[in-house]
Amino acid sequence: MSTIFTLFMVLIMILSILLVIVIMAQNPKGGGLSGTFGGASPAQFGVQRTNDFMEKATWTLGISIVVLIFLSVVLTAKPSQNTQTTPVKKEAPAQQTAPATNNPASAPAGN
């Protein structure tokens, strides 16, 4: 494996773990169970500002992962070899022998 590929994979794994942590730390938008059992509203004590940061962090991390995956594919891909569409015929030329004029073995049988 190349070093650049390993670097991309390590960065992608780190960003993926951070994305999971950020998503798990967010409050659900619909209230979820905390809203059912008398949870506080998200506008108290600056929680709304925290939700905005968490949402931006989620989008940033997600886009960063996609970009890193795309770059790893483009930069670490092996270049394709030029293949010809028509195969080249490599035939040895036929050996030509000069006709024997005085050879009795090659004389016609009807003489």
Side-chain angles (χ1 to χ4, degrees), residues 9-108:
M9 289 301 111
V10 168
L11 287 174
I12 290 169
M13 286 189 289
I14 290 171
L15 290 178
S16 298
I17 291 169
L18 286 174
L19 181 64
V20 168
I21 291 170
V22 168
I23 289 174
M24 295 298 287
Q26 289 181 8
N27 289 330
K29 299 248 185 230
L33 290 177
S34 64
T36 305
F37 295 112
S41 70
Q44 288 181 347
F45 305 112
V47 176
Q48 184 62 38
R49 190 175 299 168
T50 304
N51 284 344
D52 289 341
F53 170 76
M54 292 292 213
E55 185 175 348
K56 288 179 184 177
T58 303
W59 280 104
T60 304
L61 287 170
I63 291 171
S64 299
I65 291 170
V66 170
V67 167
L68 278 176
I69 290 172
F70 181 72
L71 283 175
S72 69
V73 168
V74 170
L75 294 178
T76 61
K78 295 184 184 196
S80 63
Q81 297 177 356
N82 292 336
T83 56
Q84 297 178 353
T85 56
T86 58
V88 177
K89 293 183 180 181
K90 294 184 178 181
E91 296 178 2
Q95 293 187 6
Q96 296 184 1
T97 58
T101 56
N102 294 333
N103 190 355
S106 64

